[in-house]
Amino acid sequence: MYLADHTWPDLRDRLTEESTAIVPLGSTEQHGPHLPLATDHLIAEALATAAAEETGIPRTPTVDIGVSPHHRQFPGTLWVDPPAFRDYVESFTRNLTYHGIDRVVYVNAHGGNVSHLREVGRRLHEDGTAYAIEWMWDESIPELVDDLFEHNGPHAGPKETAMITHIARELVDTEQFENARDGGLVDLADSDAVVHGARTYYDAIDNSANGAFGDPTDVTPEKGERLFDAATDQLVQLVEWLDAHELETLLPEPRVD
């Protein structure tokens, strides 16, 4: 159920005390020469929509812009500063609790958001307001990702390319697949990204001239469908698990005497 498609009288009966909600979040940032800037938020929204339709649990509008300053050198990339992002998501989630929602799944598709969403969840958990957890789609199916692609790449690689091929194929420039591979970085081990245990980079462009990592040339629509279906199944199971718990069982344990 997409919350924003309904009238408030409809939602008065659907948003009850002790409810669960799905919140998709992504980014608007460069994804190499072959994928749209919308890649992350399109993936998050598509997965959240599929899970909401299967479970009947409400989905909120998508947070389209995230923490992406590490892609700022590429034209079109948009971002917000981390404190602003954290405060926005926290305020937004506290607003949901006003309507009876006390458990939230942040359906996230952007690595730059991860630590900040976990911090927001910690704050809400600590003061007993809500139980909000971050879920990253590719972390839910790592074995399948590894089985399908030899060079995954952390960004704009085959896994994201396959997902967008399934979700919005018209936005994928297949003629740029080889350019994405040859002008980017196929394997981080071939760079100086880590030297003597220290990460040497701050921005994507420090390692990849065109912003792509991995090799998307072996992507097929069938692989994209497999990834999407498997991730959706994991998300549905997570949402159902969370919805089955009472908030009290998820709040912090009392001080040990």
Side-chain angles (χ1 to χ4, degrees):
M1 180 187 78
Y2 179 45
L3 191 106
D5 280 347
H6 295 269
T7 65
W8 71 260
D10 291 339
L11 295 172
R12 178 177 51 196
D13 298 327
R14 293 187 181 217
L15 297 182
T16 60
E17 292 299 320
E18 300 181 349
S19 299
T20 302
I22 302 170
V23 178
L25 306 98
S27 69
T28 300
E29 64 181 24
Q30 73 83 19
H31 274 78
H34 61 303
L35 294 178
L37 272 65
T39 290
D40 287 344
H41 70 251
L42 287 176
I43 292 173
E45 185 168 282
L47 290 168
T49 298
E53 290 176 350
E54 186 164 339
T55 62
I57 288 175
R59 169 181 78 81
T60 71
T62 304
V63 178
D64 290 346
I65 299 175
V67 182
S68 303
H70 49 294
H71 293 292
R72 67 188 183 278
Q73 290 89 350
F74 296 93
T77 293
L78 305 175
W79 70 93
V80 294
D81 291 334
F85 178 78
R86 290 192 297 267
D87 288 348
Y88 179 85
V89 175
E90 181 178 350
S91 177
F92 172 41
T93 307
R94 289 184 186 277
N95 168 268
L96 290 175
T97 68
Y98 180 82
H99 297 293
I101 292 167
D102 56 22
R103 281 149 296 162
V104 173
V105 176
Y106 295 132
V107 177
N108 178 39
H110 173 51
N113 294 340
V114 172
S115 63
H116 308 293
L117 292 173
R118 289 177 177 166
E119 171 60 19
V120 170
R122 187 195 65 77
R123 294 179 189 175
L124 296 167
H125 181 255
E126 195 170 76
D127 65 17
T129 300
Y131 186 80
I133 52 177
E134 183 267 347
W135 178 84
M136 188 82 169
W137 72 270
D138 57 322
E139 293 180 0
S140 75
I141 51 171
E143 296 85 2
L144 178 59
V145 173
D146 287 341
D147 287 344
L148 291 179
F149 307 112
E150 183 178 357
H151 297 290
N152 297 325
H155 178 79
K159 60 188 176 186
E160 290 186 321
T161 303
M163 286 288 272
I164 295 299
T165 297
H166 176 69
I167 295 166
R169 192 178 308 183
E170 70 280 4
L171 299 180
V172 179
D173 189 347
T174 58
E175 294 183 356
Q176 288 291 328
F177 280 4
E178 290 187 4
N179 181 27
R181 178 195 64 197
D182 299 339
L185 179 64
V186 173
D187 192 338
L188 274 174
D190 296 331
S191 72
D192 290 330
V194 178
V195 177
H196 302 304
R199 293 187 180 183
T200 61
Y201 60 94
Y202 286 95
D203 299 326
I205 202 169
D206 295 338
N207 292 313
S208 174
N210 66 13
F213 296 79
D215 181 3
T217 59
D218 62 346
V219 165
T220 65
E222 292 74 23
K223 290 180 180 180
E225 183 176 13
R226 287 185 64 188
L227 288 178
F228 186 85
D229 289 347
T232 298
D233 180 64
Q234 290 295 308
L235 178 56
V236 166
Q237 291 187 60
L238 173 62
V239 170
E240 291 177 339
W241 172 85
L242 185 58
D243 195 52
H245 281 72
E246 299 291 336
L247 177 63
E248 290 73 19
T249 67
L250 300 168
L251 293 180
E253 295 290 336
R255 178 179 178 274
V256 176
D257 293 325

